[in-house]
Amino acid sequence: MLIAILAPSFQVVQEYERAVIFRLGRLNADGAKGPGIFFVLPCIESYTKIDLRTVSFDIPPQEVLTRDSVTVSVDAVVYYRIHNATVSVANVENAHHSTRLLAQTTLRNVLGTRNLSEILSERESISNAMQNALDEATENWGIRVERVEIKDVRLPIQLQRSMAAEAEATREAKAKKAADIMSGSSSALQLRYLQTLNAISSEKNSTIIFPVPIDFMNCFTNSRPS
């Protein structure tokens, strides 16, 4: 009966898996087993299967205060995999959960050192900084961070309106400056007039256009009542 209880139990792990075996509470000196078939001794050995494939997860939207005191909501996606099955089991209770929590805090810490303009225009450098910080921290957990991507940056409604108003004011200022320049050149004004006619005629509508020379209109604008 004792021999039957201690008979080896054969197990199989896939190509992308490894089995971390404990013998009487100690890690097996041979390291992780697999892929293929292996055996464990009941009541003496136990094992844990570890998946080595790349895992991706979404970082929930994080409210971040930027360096220039602007509150933004940012979310990201992280790609990582376990590269050392033995370390991921022995050094951390739950490697996947710990990596997810660390990614959230790392996102807030990295973005907190950037201005709003940098967050909007330098996503690639921010992603690389996050990847390096995460990879360094998770090395002792047997995890390798392969990629980090910033998905979306959401601004407060009030800030969106103020930015839109600023952009509109800039466009109006440029248009006014262009109008002042064109008013001093009759050839430039005539060219703009022809461009406008061309743009209108290219549209499929029922508008009828009667081109009138600009100099002809000057006869009326320059005339004075006697």
Side-chain angles (χ1 to χ4, degrees), residues 69-224:
S69 301
V70 178
T71 302
V72 296
S73 178
V74 184
D75 57 354
V77 59
V78 178
Y79 300 86
Y80 72 95
R81 66 181 179 87
I82 295 177
H83 73 94
N84 191 323
T86 302
V87 171
S88 69
V89 173
N91 288 7
V92 61
E93 180 180 359
N94 189 325
H96 295 287
H97 182 65
S98 299
T99 302
R100 284 167 167 77
L101 292 180
L102 181 62
Q104 296 181 23
T105 57
T106 302
L107 177 63
R108 291 195 294 267
N109 293 338
V110 171
L111 295 181
T113 62
R114 304 296 183 99
N115 294 326
L116 176 61
S117 59
E118 296 174 342
I119 294 176
L120 296 176
S121 61
E122 301 179 6
R123 293 192 182 188
E124 184 175 355
S125 64
I126 294 175
S127 298
N128 293 335
M130 277 195 61
Q131 178 182 346
N132 295 333
L134 281 174
D135 198 40
E136 182 180 356
T138 58
E139 179 65 26
N140 294 330
W141 301 344
I143 287 179
R144 180 166 298 152
V145 179
E146 298 180 335
R147 191 176 184 87
V148 177
E149 291 289 343
I150 302 297
K151 292 176 60 179
D152 191 19
V153 179
R154 288 181 289 275
L155 306 177
I157 300 298
Q158 296 83 354
L159 181 59
Q160 294 181 24
R161 291 174 179 172
S162 62
M163 293 177 67
E166 182 180 358
E168 182 66 23
T170 301
R171 287 194 295 268
E172 290 180 356
K174 291 181 178 179
K176 183 178 180 180
K177 183 178 179 180
D180 293 339
I181 296 175
M182 292 180 62
S183 63
S185 174
S186 59
S187 59
L189 190 60
Q190 183 70 25
L191 178 60
R192 181 56 183 163
Y193 174 66
L194 295 176
Q195 289 176 344
T196 303
L197 293 179
N198 182 63
I200 296 175
S201 63
S202 63
E203 299 179 358
K204 296 181 180 180
N205 52 39
S206 58
T207 304
I208 300 176
I209 302 174
F210 293 96
V212 178
I214 297 179
D215 296 338
F216 178 77
M217 301 299 298
N218 292 335
C219 298
F220 296 95
T221 57
N222 296 331
S223 62
R224 296 291 186 271

